[in-house]
Amino acid sequence: MGLPKHQPLAPMWGPDRKDDAEVSESTQTTTRDLTSDESSQSSASTPSFESNIPRSPQVKNINVASSHTSKSQPKDATDKTDFLTDLGNYIALGSFTFHTSFRSELFLPFGGGNKDSEPWTEFHKMDYNDKDCPAYLAHILALRHWVRVYARRHQRDEALAVVRVYVLPDDVGRRYVDRDDGTLRKSLAKLVNKLDVSTDAWEGRNKPCEDPIECYNSESSDDDSLFYIFNTLLSPSPRPLPVSCIVSQEAIDTISNSFETPGLKTRLYPYQRRSVATMIKREVEPARALDPRLEPLKGPTGQGFFYDRETGALIRDRREYEEARGGILGESMGLGKTLICLATILVTKGHWPQIPPEYSLGLHPVRSQVGSLMQMSAAAVGRTQVPWRVLFQDFSRAGEDHKNCLNILEENIGSYVIPAPVARRSRRPSSTPKGKTVQLSTATLIIVPQNLLSQWKNEIALHVDDDGLQVLCLDSGDEVPIPSANKLLQYDLILLPRQRFERELVPSESAKTRSKVKGGCRCSLDEDCHCSRDDEYRSPLKDLHFLRIIMDEGHEFSASGRKNNTYWALRELHVDRKWIVSGTPASGLLGVEVGTATFEISDTMDNSRHKANWSVLEARRKESALSQERKDLEMLGHIVAGFLKLKPWANSKDEDPASWQKYIMPHDSGRRKVRSLKTLLESLVIRHRIEDVEADIQLPALHNRVVYLQPGWHDKLSINLFILSLAVNAVTSERTDEDYMFHAKNRRQLNLLISNLRQSGFYWTSFSPEDIAKTIRVSRLYLDEHTTPELCKEEDRTLLETAISVGEVVLKSTSWRSFADLHEMGIFVEGFPEDAYQSWSLTSTQEVGSGPLLVGATQMIKAQRWTDSHLYATNPAHGLAGVGTSTMQKLRQVAVCKTESEGLRADDSYVEARQGKNLKKKKAVLGLTAAPKLTEKQTVSRAKIGSSPRKTDWAPALPQPTNGSSGGKPLKSALKSALKRFVPKEPVELLPSDSPLAQTKICGTASAKLSYLLDRVTALHHDEKILIFYEGDHIAYYIAQAFDLVDIRYLIYTQTLSLSRQNAYITTFNTTETFRVLLMNVHQAALGLHIASASRVFFVNPVWQPNVEAQAIKRAHRIGQTRPVYVETLVLKDTLEDQMLRRRKGMTAQEHQKAEKSLLDDDTMSTIIKNAQFIPLLHEDICDVSKQIAKLSNPQQLFGRVGKGDGDIDDPDADLVFPVDTPRSKKASRKRKNDSEYVMEMNGLPPPRRRFSDARLPNGQGAEAWAFSVTNPATVPAITVPENRAHVAMSTADSGVSNSSRNLGFDLGSYDQSTSLFGANVPASSLSLLP
């Protein structure tokens, strides 16, 4: 604040000045009280006065402390006067200076030559022209006793006056001074910002024209971003402060000082132990923190006070709130948050929650007679929450028996009563409502997403001793109801999926419907329940006060706040300690190390990734607070107020709630409230800086690189067709109105088109020849009608002509037309049997010897299976041509029917548009057709036969075709399973090396990326497990077909799968060696999945959002990983996806946040797409198949590939690890039985009349035996037992029985120990013959 110049001080009381004779009493402050004595700088006591100091005859001095009181004043008035005149009730706030007139002695007392001896004079009135100047503000506040003002001449400049301001705090003297005046509050806030708080200014020794003013509003120059604050929070202390609770302190000491945790199999890393200790410390004794609305300040005398900048409130006494009993466990992804939670539960096992203070009265029991000492002791233990269970468990392990003590303690578990709400007055008589009794429980509730339920169960089994925790796990289904409250008390951990948790606690109109189950209500499992069927269901969870609740992946809760059912469910729950577990509590709150995982660097470089982390932090430190950061803060607010119920943010309206918008959200100018934000995060978040984690554990190296591939012929065609679509639309719509694809109203369709364009970098077949021909006609018609440069610019004409040329090349390509008609991935095969060459060719123009055979992947799989099933024959390829002819005819017929049903006609949409018809209805823009979709059956690969099915003296005979059926049909019966399981004594070569079929090899595909993947995966999958991330299901569909051809077993994790299947796929991939490749939609990878069994990661297409890519990488690069992780992103060089990746690397964090949902939100990327250029195509390559191949570096054998023999060839689900007793596993079991019935039908047999399922295999699966009733058998099964082995054989029955039925049983011979049925060891006693 500068000095107001050229405006001399007006007389402070001007015309209101009284003569000296009218002054009954006047006193002056002494130099000892308000002068510049150093000892007075830190004194806030009331000054005294002396009457012998000379006064200026023209100046009236006002008493600071009156020397006498009129006897006629009432006592209240006397008290008020005494209070207001006591300067000790005020706080030294600051000072300001201003110009006075030349004759300053007319206004201020003159102390002679010694300026230090001049007294300070209090003034009541100051007239000043500027109403925003401190003199005027101090004047109006002094009139209402909000401040007191003293003035004296400046020691350095006699033309200046220095004015001291003392303020009355809001929490002092409210009975005497009204503090609710909004106008005065604003004036005080203005005055605070204009005062100088320096000591020199307070004493009048500063240089007003030279020294800068030190103000209260001079905030720190730091304006750190939320991302920077989150990543630079201090790591938990190795030695947290001690707590008063002895038992809790023992838990902290146990976890801090011991490498072994009782009940935990796994040894914790030091940083994990620190996190656990800090969690317990915050749960047991949360710190008391200053009200976040207040800022601690110090005045010029050193006296402290607290100031609310938003409201202008200024108080003297510290106002505190208790921090949360819980918070956010925000350790970075892959650093063992689940293990930290389990360790916290184990070391606090048996601890009781605290009874809420508002319900702590009246806990002493009222007995009809005096209780025994044991009863009273047990009641006292229950009331004081002593963790007796752990103590008595130790006694039991020592061999001591305290059964009676345990029984009485269980009867006296602590509880409290929540009074019933006060009923409204009514004349009608009514019974007094009873309160609700809530029992204390030592259990921890863990709420998880459904897809992580199985993973949590696996982690518990992996890390916790068998007797470490009593665990109750409930699925999302309602088949298993929640036990009663009394039964829930015996559990230490209750695991619930989020959907089930919400249904249990959220009140809804369907509550009564949900409460109905067979046999009674759902409130308990007790057989003596007498609840009425009309009663609304009440969850037992509402009757307990749990020790702790943990919300895994809690960012889902924060995303929607009160719109979330979980929010309302939590309102019905009683919990002492609450934790959100998420490495990303909000979208922008993630570790810097996660973001740098996408950088194209290697961990083998010296400190390369560490340097990258700090460079990113510094680059994002001062980024502006854009909308994304505001959204992140809103999400954080949902956690603070909605979940943790942290005061003052969660205060009710009657309790002075704090406004999150006012105190935490950034200013409109974008400036952040760093102090409040940092203090809040420090009190909530437990996480380690990455450098502190790396000091305790070193994850395997992470290598990330981009693989640039040359696009193949068909890659160029697919990308050019999308560019053609955009170019023709831009020119013919003249880039205006709604016909233009980039018009705002077409944003949804445009986003879909761009998404398809990005996926076409792998493969695309959804353009139809009819649509291309129609687009060419529209373009030509436009050029014919717009012949002049005024109607069509030269660059637009050139663009359309190029588009027409590209379209003509596409239409001339017979291979592309076949792909488009059949939606097939092209497979190129060399050495295919010549007699079947043209029968299997996708193109009718391809001749034998013209180059590799082009076949669709689906047809190639069929040819492979047919040939492999005939390898035992003398000429396995015999009949392959006939099968190919039949297959291709049926395929083309289906394609024609589909084309006709879709009504693909070459309508002249452009002419219709000229006539005013809507182009949208005709779908004039290409590329929006849906691609092939995955079915559930296609997400799991089938096993192949592991040994030769050739005829031998030990192998069963294959069934012969009957009733005119075509030969060579692959077996779909239990016989095929038997073929797989009968392993010969000596290995038999499936296909001799000199066989012509051994030279038939897959030499390439129509996709450059697929060919690269085949090369890499076939080379790596024997030694490493592989993760492949994709964005479109059709990509996974084509990759899966290629893997089927080369016998690579895979699983596809897609959003369309049921939750139980998703869990089964992750568990199977992590725990078995059957499936070596997991294909996963990249947007499903950010849900806390643990896939550390994979060490190779491939991204089929570059990912636009770096955070999504980083989280996908962290699925594999995490604790539990034992190998270096290699990440490869496949990019077609010099294409749009190449430009997209380069643009992504050059974008700032703000730009990424702006374009998070769509790359079209980035102006630069949108411009790149609008100006995309066609990829050159050579006309001579149209008919040259050899120029259209994306070649394999290592061609793969097609026929006679030996399977591993480690899976079920009939039912791939049999190789999956489904969670025990889940609805899906039961369904799978039923499905397998139905498949068995289907087997009988396929062999001309009716469904089994009787099953023997008592026999159990070692893996827990039932072995089934059937008895058949055959009415007119042509071929019947017979089972014999030579060499103590049960074989299956098919023989023509010559029983002489015609037109009558006979029963066939099992011939067990004389074997009474065991026999082998379809490869399963079955006790003979479990089998019986039919009568």
Side-chain angles (χ1 to χ4, degrees), residues 466 768 853 898 916 976 980 1048 1161:
D466 295 338
S768 69
L853 174 66
K898 183 178 180 181
K976 187 174 181 181
K980 169 184 174 297
I1048 296 175
D1161 291 330

Side-chain angles (χ1 to χ4, degrees), residues 27 251 288 876 976 1016 1163 1323:
T27 59
R288 296 194 63 83
K976 187 174 181 181
R1016 296 291 287 159
D1163 296 336

Side-chain angles (χ1 to χ4, degrees), residues 161 188 195 248 286 345 347 365 451 463 473 499 850 879 914 917 1062 1068 1083 1087 1101 1121 1187:
L188 179 59
L195 295 179
S248 299
I345 296 171
V347 296
N451 68 314
H463 299 299
C473 180
Q499 295 90 331
S850 61
R914 297 277 293 175
K917 298 184 179 180
Q1062 289 180 345
T1068 303
H1083 296 288
L1087 298 174
N1101 298 102
Q1121 181 59 261
K1187 298 292 183 65

Side-chain angles (χ1 to χ4, degrees), residues 1108-1125:
V1108 174
E1109 180 184 350
Q1111 294 189 57
I1113 293 173
K1114 297 304 288 186
R1115 298 309 108 210
H1117 191 245
R1118 57 197 302 116
I1119 286 183
Q1121 181 59 261
T1122 58
R1123 294 170 173 261
V1125 177

Side-chain angles (χ1 to χ4, degrees), residues 448-482:
V448 303
Q450 177 65 42
N451 68 314
L452 298 184
L453 183 65
S454 178
Q455 183 168 303
W456 266 90
K457 291 192 287 186
N458 293 337
E459 292 289 307
I460 293 172
L462 177 65
H463 299 299
V464 180
D465 290 338
D466 295 338
D467 58 347
L469 293 174
Q470 295 295 321
V471 180
L472 172 65
C473 180
L474 295 171
D475 205 339
S476 58
D478 295 334
E479 293 83 0
V480 179
I482 292 184

Side-chain angles (χ1 to χ4, degrees), residues 316-463:
R316 180 174 61 188
D317 296 331
R318 183 182 179 90
R319 188 168 65 204
E320 296 179 337
Y321 285 99
E322 186 178 84
E323 292 182 354
R325 290 183 179 271
I328 301 173
L329 179 58
E331 298 288 6
S332 188
M333 288 179 288
L335 295 183
K337 293 186 290 293
T338 301
L339 183 58
I340 292 173
C341 292
L342 293 176
T344 303
I345 296 171
L346 278 168
V347 296
T348 59
K349 177 183 174 181
H351 293 200
W352 297 94
Q354 292 186 357
I355 296 177
E358 59 269 26
Y359 306 126
S360 58
L361 299 178
L363 298 178
H364 294 273
V366 178
R367 308 178 189 274
S368 57
Q369 59 183 5
V370 177
S372 66
L373 181 60
M374 178 176 286
Q375 290 175 332
M376 290 187 289
S377 299
V381 168
R383 287 195 307 272
T384 54
Q385 298 92 53
V386 176
W388 49 267
R389 281 180 174 166
V390 178
L391 301 177
F392 280 97
Q393 285 180 1
D394 295 338
F395 295 154
S396 299
R397 293 190 185 98
E400 301 180 16
D401 184 14
H402 299 276
K403 184 177 180 180
N404 293 335
C405 292
L406 288 172
N407 290 337
I408 196 168
L409 286 172
E410 293 286 355
E411 294 173 0
N412 287 271
I413 289 177
S415 63
Y416 59 92
V417 177
I418 300 177
V422 179
R424 295 183 178 180
R425 294 184 178 182
S426 175
R427 296 181 179 179
R428 298 180 181 179
S430 60
S431 58
T432 303
K434 295 182 179 180
K436 181 177 68 174
T437 301
V438 179
Q439 284 187 294
L440 303 184
S441 170
T442 60
T444 294
L445 273 175
I446 300 182
I447 312 301
V448 303
Q450 177 65 42
N451 68 314
L452 298 184
L453 183 65
S454 178
Q455 183 168 303
W456 266 90
K457 291 192 287 186
N458 293 337
E459 292 289 307
I460 293 172
L462 177 65
H463 299 299

Side-chain angles (χ1 to χ4, degrees), residues 734 782 785-794 796-797:
E734 299 178 354
Y782 183 88
E785 293 184 355
H786 301 74
T787 56
T788 63
E790 291 78 12
L791 296 177
C792 181
K793 296 179 181 179
E794 189 61 32
D796 286 344
R797 178 174 295 276

